[in-house]
Amino acid sequence: GDWINDKKEGRGKYVNIHEDYYIGSMKNDYMNGKGKLYDKNGKLLYEGDFVNNKAEGFGKYAFEDGYYCIGEVKNNKMNGKGKQYDKDGVLLYEGDFVNNHFEGSGRFNYREGFYYIGEWKNGVRHGKGKYYGIKGNLKYDGDWVNDKPEGMGKNIHEDGSYYIGQLKNGKKHGKGQIIDKNGKIKYNGEWINDKPEGYSSGTMDDGTYIGDYKNGIPNGKGKVYYNNEVIYEGEFVDGYYEGIGKRIY
């Protein structure tokens, strides 16, 4: 390549100790400007801007699986705004990067057609975010921790009903409500591992139930109301009147 005053300067090819090689602009003995970095087998690793032997500025990183990233680069890594594509050139992610990880705000498109828009940390969904179905319908809106819904959120069901309340590890857990598509509360109370549990209120075929739940159904002591009047008070087993109770006609 080119030399000026005993230093590599201009266009040239530089081979490092790992036998990877660089083709591009040199200045003051360093990779500076536009260039391409290849591995020893001639596979392109990076194409873009260099500053003092480091990828910095704007560029494209190519990965072994055929995926690649295009965007802002600092200190040899994706840092700033960028995009990630799969091997077929389909856009997977668009948003913020920190040290090659999705971090900050961004959108990820899943192969099935679902997509997520929200906050990221260390490459996973973390913070506030929304998850959409293949038709663009909102399926979840709320908090995320380590790639799973956790904290407060709203989970929208296919029939138009929705859950709003606390979640843990992707499941309804804590205080929450099920509300039907017409805005009527179907269940209001405690949840454990996606099932109603504890003392709560909900609807039954013959009225409104207030009492103990276990495994998602009335179990224990409770009351059933119809038109705001008690029609049964007593014990329940697996959702049925069973044990000692009083039926009012």
Side-chain angles (χ1 to χ4, degrees):
D2 300 328
W3 296 77
I4 295 178
N5 293 330
D6 210 29
K7 291 184 177 180
K8 296 182 280 292
E9 189 111 359
R11 294 286 300 176
K13 178 179 179 179
Y14 171 72
V15 182
N16 65 24
I17 59 174
H18 305 293
E19 298 185 45
D20 297 336
Y21 62 93
Y22 167 84
I23 298 176
S25 299
M26 305 288 293
K27 186 176 182 180
N28 202 30
D29 260 349
Y30 292 112
M31 297 179 288
N32 272 291
K34 301 289 185 183
K36 297 180 180 181
L37 183 66
Y38 299 83
D39 69 12
K40 63 182 180 181
N41 297 314
K43 182 180 178 181
L44 180 65
L45 302 175
Y46 173 79
E47 177 181 1
D49 299 325
F50 287 81
V51 176
N52 294 335
N53 274 358
K54 291 183 178 180
E56 191 141 336
F58 191 89
K60 175 182 176 180
Y61 270 106
F63 304 106
E64 290 185 2
D65 55 9
Y67 285 45
Y68 59 94
C69 289
I70 298 175
E72 296 174 333
V73 179
K74 187 175 182 180
N75 201 30
N76 284 330
K77 292 181 180 179
M78 293 291 298
N79 275 291
K81 299 291 184 183
K83 299 178 181 181
Q84 186 187 77
Y85 297 83
D86 70 10
K87 61 183 179 180
D88 299 317
V90 176
L91 178 64
L92 297 177
Y93 174 81
E94 180 175 5
D96 299 325
F97 287 80
V98 174
N99 293 332
N100 279 351
H101 295 295
F102 307 152
E103 188 149 333
S105 296
R107 169 174 172 159
F108 191 91
N109 303 309
Y110 298 89
R111 290 183 179 275
E112 299 85 357
F114 302 97
Y115 60 95
Y116 168 85
I117 299 175
E119 296 176 321
W120 297 77
K121 186 175 181 181
N122 202 32
V124 297
R125 296 167 292 188
H126 193 96
K128 299 287 185 183
K130 297 180 180 181
Y131 184 68
Y132 294 84
I134 57 177
K135 297 179 181 179
N137 53 308
L138 182 63
K139 297 181 74 66
Y140 176 77
D141 181 7
D143 299 327
W144 297 74
V145 175
N146 292 329
D147 220 31
K148 293 184 178 180
E150 185 155 331
M152 288 296 296
K154 181 179 181 180
N155 197 345
I156 302 164
H157 308 138
E158 292 294 332
D159 62 2
S161 65
Y162 60 92
Y163 169 84
I164 186 166
Q166 297 174 315
L167 299 105
K168 185 176 182 181
N169 201 31
K171 295 181 179 180
K172 297 182 281 288
H173 195 95
K175 292 188 179 295
Q177 298 178 330
I178 292 287
I179 300 173
D180 69 17
K181 62 182 180 180
N182 298 314
K184 182 179 179 181
I185 297 175
K186 304 292 287 184
Y187 176 83
N188 180 25
E190 298 287 337
W191 297 75
I192 295 179
N193 290 328
D194 238 18
K195 293 181 179 180
E197 192 101 1
Y199 187 82
S200 305
S201 65
T203 58
M204 300 180 67
D205 290 340
D206 48 359
T208 299
Y209 171 79
I210 299 177
D212 298 324
Y213 278 82
K214 187 175 183 181
N215 273 340
I217 51 179
N219 271 291
K221 295 185 180 296
K223 296 179 182 180
V224 177
Y225 292 81
Y226 183 77
N227 288 336
N228 296 320
E229 294 184 359
V230 176
I231 61 171
Y232 176 81
E233 179 178 359
E235 297 177 335
F236 289 77
V237 176
D238 294 336
Y240 295 100
Y241 306 155
E242 189 166 323
I244 297 175
K246 180 180 179 181
R247 184 74 162 90
I248 303 170
Y249 297 93

